[in-house]
């Protein structure tokens, strides 16, 4: 028990309890701020991912239509494109 108390005192550098409590409160505030920032960043990332997915979906659809229009003569290519489009 005494050894543990000595270790804790060394870690605390023999600072008064009030100083330690103030330090812990400051750390708690910083942690809450970081958690809030993390939440905002996560939300922003999800919004960007959704936008990118929508953009890519529209791009794939346009490319599919373009290829369909340019390859009307070859039905095997059209079938392959339809299969790829349905998988995506």
């Amino acid at each position: 028990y005494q050894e543990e108390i000595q270790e804790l005192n060394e870690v605390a550098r023999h600072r008064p309890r009030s100083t330690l409590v103030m330090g812990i409160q400051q750390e708690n505030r910083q942690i809450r701020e970081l958690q809030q920032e993390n939440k905002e960043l996560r939300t922003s990332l999800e919004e960007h991912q959704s936008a990118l997915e929508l953009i890519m979906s529209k791009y794939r659809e346009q490319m599919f239509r373009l290829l369909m229009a340019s390859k009307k003569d070859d039905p095997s290519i059209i079938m392959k494109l339809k299969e790829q489009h349905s998988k995506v």
Side-chain angles (χ1 to χ4, degrees):
Y1 174 77
Q2 289 298 325
E3 289 175 13
E4 288 181 26
I5 293 293
Q6 285 177 341
E7 278 184 44
L8 290 173
N9 282 334
E10 287 174 17
V11 169
R13 297 185 193 108
H14 300 287
R15 291 182 285 181
R17 183 171 187 250
S18 60
T19 305
L20 293 173
V21 169
M22 285 177 39
I24 290 171
Q25 289 174 341
Q26 183 179 2
E27 287 177 9
N28 285 342
R29 267 186 248 114
Q30 290 173 342
I31 289 170
R32 281 193 298 273
E33 289 171 4
L34 288 171
Q35 287 173 335
Q36 180 62 32
E37 183 181 357
N38 197 14
K39 183 178 178 182
E40 291 169 5
L41 288 170
R42 195 172 286 124
T43 301
S44 179
L45 176 63
E46 289 171 0
E47 289 172 0
H48 281 84
Q49 285 176 332
S50 294
L52 186 56
E53 287 173 10
L54 177 63
I55 291 167
M56 290 305 297
S57 173
K58 295 292 182 181
Y59 171 77
R60 287 184 200 106
E61 185 179 320
Q62 290 297 323
M63 290 304 296
F64 178 73
R65 287 181 183 168
L66 179 63
L67 289 172
M68 290 280 287
S70 67
K71 302 291 181 182
K72 285 185 179 181
D73 298 333
D74 191 352
S76 65
I77 291 176
I78 293 171
M79 290 304 294
K80 287 179 185 177
L81 290 172
K82 284 183 180 179
E83 288 174 10
Q84 288 175 353
H85 183 68
S86 66
K87 288 179 184 177
V88 173

